Amino acid sequence: MADEQDMSLGALYRTHVNDLISYAMCLGFDKDTSMDAVHDVFCKVIADKELTVRIRDIRTYLFRAVKNRLLDISKTCHETPMPVEEMPFNIQASVEDEFIDNEDSELLRSKVERLLATLTDRQREIIYLRYEENLDYEEISGLMKISEPSCRKLIHKIISALKKQTHFIFI
């Protein structure tokens, strides 16, 4: 039984570790701090063997736990910690590369970078979670601490604004 649980925890780790580290880095933390936070979260999961049974959506839990762990780390490193609403969020090349691969154009790359730069940090984070991490609206609303209808409206508003700024469709 313990071996089966260890294997499932290993599979859970392998499935999510890269996405969690990327997310942490998008929140503005360096790779080492991001990896430390992710590993801290998995240590907590391993220490509490029943945790994965009690949690309804483990993926959302992991994203939230990593973000909270990074906030804790930030509090210990800075005299005045940054409120969660003001955390920077910079989408790494992964989302930009996806757009670029579809069109294989340097002009498109430049346009996407300019469009993403027009978004607020929170808007970039929501777009990243929805389209890079494929989280559903319920998961995003839980992570961002907003209602699900607000999440849907915000994503729709962002996409509409991006479409107005461009003359091609992203989705």
Side-chain angles (χ1 to χ4, degrees), residues 19 22 26 59 91-98 126-135:
D19 291 340
S22 292
C26 286
R59 184 170 188 212
I91 296 177
Q92 302 295 316
S94 57
V95 173
E96 294 168 0
D97 288 346
E98 186 175 313
I126 288 173
I127 292 298
Y128 175 85
L129 292 170
R130 179 71 176 128
Y131 296 104
E132 180 65 20
E133 295 302 331
N134 297 314
L135 295 181

Short mmCIF file of all heavy atoms in Angstrom, two decimals, residues 19 22 26 59 91-98 126-135:
data_model
loop_
_atom_site.label_atom_id
_atom_site.label_comp_id
_atom_site.label_asym_id
_atom_site.label_seq_id
_atom_site.Cartn_x
_atom_site.Cartn_y
_atom_site.Cartn_z
N ASP A 19 5.10 22.61 -14.56
CA ASP A 19 4.08 23.67 -14.65
C ASP A 19 4.12 24.56 -13.41
O ASP A 19 3.98 25.78 -13.52
CB ASP A 19 2.68 23.06 -14.79
CG ASP A 19 2.48 22.38 -16.13
OD1 ASP A 19 3.23 22.67 -17.08
OD2 ASP A 19 1.56 21.54 -16.23
N SER A 22 7.22 26.83 -13.57
CA SER A 22 6.98 27.89 -14.56
C SER A 22 6.05 28.96 -14.01
O SER A 22 6.29 30.16 -14.18
CB SER A 22 6.36 27.31 -15.84
OG SER A 22 7.28 26.49 -16.50
N CYS A 26 6.81 32.89 -13.38
CA CYS A 26 5.97 33.94 -13.95
C CYS A 26 5.55 34.96 -12.89
O CYS A 26 5.28 36.11 -13.20
CB CYS A 26 4.74 33.35 -14.62
SG CYS A 26 5.06 32.52 -16.18
N ARG A 59 -4.74 19.63 -8.48
CA ARG A 59 -3.99 20.56 -9.34
C ARG A 59 -4.17 22.00 -8.86
O ARG A 59 -3.21 22.76 -8.72
CB ARG A 59 -4.41 20.41 -10.78
CG ARG A 59 -3.59 21.27 -11.71
CD ARG A 59 -3.85 20.94 -13.14
NE ARG A 59 -2.88 21.68 -13.94
CZ ARG A 59 -3.13 22.13 -15.14
NH1 ARG A 59 -4.28 21.87 -15.72
NH2 ARG A 59 -2.23 22.80 -15.80
N ILE A 91 4.48 36.49 -18.28
CA ILE A 91 4.37 35.24 -19.01
C ILE A 91 5.70 34.96 -19.68
O ILE A 91 6.23 35.80 -20.39
CB ILE A 91 3.23 35.28 -20.04
CG1 ILE A 91 1.89 35.45 -19.32
CG2 ILE A 91 3.24 34.03 -20.91
CD1 ILE A 91 0.71 35.58 -20.25
N GLN A 92 6.22 33.80 -19.42
CA GLN A 92 7.47 33.39 -20.03
C GLN A 92 7.23 33.09 -21.51
O GLN A 92 6.11 33.14 -21.99
CB GLN A 92 8.03 32.15 -19.32
CG GLN A 92 8.27 32.36 -17.85
CD GLN A 92 9.36 33.38 -17.57
OE1 GLN A 92 10.38 33.37 -18.21
NE2 GLN A 92 9.11 34.26 -16.63
N ALA A 93 8.24 32.75 -22.19
CA ALA A 93 8.18 32.54 -23.64
C ALA A 93 7.21 31.45 -24.06
O ALA A 93 6.81 31.41 -25.19
CB ALA A 93 9.57 32.22 -24.18
N SER A 94 6.78 30.57 -23.16
CA SER A 94 5.96 29.44 -23.55
C SER A 94 4.67 29.84 -24.26
O SER A 94 4.33 29.27 -25.28
CB SER A 94 5.65 28.55 -22.35
OG SER A 94 5.02 29.30 -21.35
N VAL A 95 3.93 30.81 -23.75
CA VAL A 95 2.69 31.23 -24.40
C VAL A 95 3.02 31.96 -25.69
O VAL A 95 2.39 31.74 -26.71
CB VAL A 95 1.86 32.13 -23.45
CG1 VAL A 95 0.67 32.72 -24.18
CG2 VAL A 95 1.40 31.34 -22.25
N GLU A 96 4.02 32.81 -25.64
CA GLU A 96 4.42 33.53 -26.84
C GLU A 96 4.87 32.55 -27.92
O GLU A 96 4.53 32.70 -29.09
CB GLU A 96 5.53 34.52 -26.51
CG GLU A 96 5.09 35.63 -25.59
CD GLU A 96 6.24 36.44 -25.04
OE1 GLU A 96 7.40 36.15 -25.35
OE2 GLU A 96 5.97 37.35 -24.29
N ASP A 97 5.62 31.53 -27.53
CA ASP A 97 6.09 30.54 -28.50
C ASP A 97 4.93 29.81 -29.16
O ASP A 97 4.99 29.49 -30.35
CB ASP A 97 7.01 29.51 -27.82
CG ASP A 97 8.36 30.10 -27.49
OD1 ASP A 97 8.69 31.18 -28.00
OD2 ASP A 97 9.09 29.47 -26.70
N GLU A 98 3.87 29.53 -28.40
CA GLU A 98 2.71 28.85 -28.97
C GLU A 98 2.09 29.69 -30.08
O GLU A 98 1.78 29.19 -31.16
CB GLU A 98 1.68 28.60 -27.87
CG GLU A 98 0.51 27.77 -28.35
CD GLU A 98 -0.43 27.44 -27.22
OE1 GLU A 98 0.04 27.01 -26.16
OE2 GLU A 98 -1.64 27.62 -27.42
N ILE A 126 -4.16 35.59 -15.34
CA ILE A 126 -5.40 34.86 -15.68
C ILE A 126 -5.29 34.23 -17.07
O ILE A 126 -5.66 33.07 -17.26
CB ILE A 126 -6.62 35.81 -15.58
CG1 ILE A 126 -6.90 36.11 -14.10
CG2 ILE A 126 -7.84 35.22 -16.26
CD1 ILE A 126 -7.97 37.15 -13.87
N ILE A 127 -4.76 34.98 -18.03
CA ILE A 127 -4.59 34.43 -19.38
C ILE A 127 -3.63 33.24 -19.35
O ILE A 127 -3.87 32.22 -20.00
CB ILE A 127 -4.09 35.53 -20.36
CG1 ILE A 127 -5.19 36.58 -20.57
CG2 ILE A 127 -3.62 34.95 -21.68
CD1 ILE A 127 -6.47 36.05 -21.19
N TYR A 128 -2.55 33.35 -18.60
CA TYR A 128 -1.59 32.26 -18.46
C TYR A 128 -2.27 31.01 -17.88
O TYR A 128 -2.12 29.91 -18.40
CB TYR A 128 -0.43 32.70 -17.57
CG TYR A 128 0.57 31.61 -17.27
CD1 TYR A 128 1.60 31.32 -18.14
CD2 TYR A 128 0.48 30.86 -16.10
CE1 TYR A 128 2.52 30.32 -17.87
CE2 TYR A 128 1.38 29.85 -15.82
CZ TYR A 128 2.40 29.59 -16.70
OH TYR A 128 3.30 28.60 -16.42
N LEU A 129 -3.01 31.20 -16.80
CA LEU A 129 -3.66 30.06 -16.15
C LEU A 129 -4.69 29.40 -17.07
O LEU A 129 -4.80 28.18 -17.12
CB LEU A 129 -4.32 30.49 -14.84
CG LEU A 129 -3.37 30.91 -13.73
CD1 LEU A 129 -4.14 31.55 -12.59
CD2 LEU A 129 -2.54 29.74 -13.25
N ARG A 130 -5.42 30.21 -17.82
CA ARG A 130 -6.47 29.67 -18.68
C ARG A 130 -5.91 28.99 -19.93
O ARG A 130 -6.30 27.89 -20.28
CB ARG A 130 -7.43 30.80 -19.09
CG ARG A 130 -8.55 30.35 -20.00
CD ARG A 130 -9.55 29.50 -19.27
NE ARG A 130 -10.64 29.16 -20.16
CZ ARG A 130 -11.07 27.92 -20.35
NH1 ARG A 130 -10.54 26.93 -19.69
NH2 ARG A 130 -12.04 27.69 -21.18
N TYR A 131 -4.97 29.65 -20.61
CA TYR A 131 -4.55 29.16 -21.91
C TYR A 131 -3.22 28.42 -21.91
O TYR A 131 -2.97 27.63 -22.81
CB TYR A 131 -4.54 30.31 -22.92
CG TYR A 131 -5.94 30.84 -23.12
CD1 TYR A 131 -6.34 32.04 -22.55
CD2 TYR A 131 -6.88 30.10 -23.82
CE1 TYR A 131 -7.64 32.50 -22.69
CE2 TYR A 131 -8.17 30.55 -23.97
CZ TYR A 131 -8.55 31.74 -23.39
OH TYR A 131 -9.84 32.18 -23.54
N GLU A 132 -2.38 28.65 -20.94
CA GLU A 132 -1.13 27.91 -20.86
C GLU A 132 -1.28 26.69 -19.94
O GLU A 132 -0.82 25.61 -20.26
CB GLU A 132 0.00 28.81 -20.36
CG GLU A 132 1.35 28.12 -20.27
CD GLU A 132 1.91 27.67 -21.61
OE1 GLU A 132 1.50 28.18 -22.66
OE2 GLU A 132 2.78 26.78 -21.62
N GLU A 133 -1.93 26.89 -18.80
CA GLU A 133 -2.09 25.80 -17.84
C GLU A 133 -3.42 25.07 -18.00
O GLU A 133 -3.67 24.08 -17.32
CB GLU A 133 -1.96 26.33 -16.41
CG GLU A 133 -0.56 26.85 -16.10
CD GLU A 133 0.52 25.80 -16.29
OE1 GLU A 133 0.26 24.59 -16.13
OE2 GLU A 133 1.65 26.20 -16.62
N ASN A 134 -4.29 25.56 -18.89
CA ASN A 134 -5.58 24.94 -19.18
C ASN A 134 -6.45 24.73 -17.95
O ASN A 134 -7.17 23.73 -17.85
CB ASN A 134 -5.39 23.62 -19.94
CG ASN A 134 -4.73 23.82 -21.27
OD1 ASN A 134 -5.11 24.71 -22.01
ND2 ASN A 134 -3.72 23.02 -21.57
N LEU A 135 -6.37 25.65 -17.01
CA LEU A 135 -7.24 25.57 -15.85
C LEU A 135 -8.64 26.03 -16.25
O LEU A 135 -8.79 26.90 -17.11
CB LEU A 135 -6.73 26.45 -14.71
CG LEU A 135 -5.38 26.08 -14.10
CD1 LEU A 135 -5.04 27.04 -12.96
CD2 LEU A 135 -5.37 24.65 -13.59
#
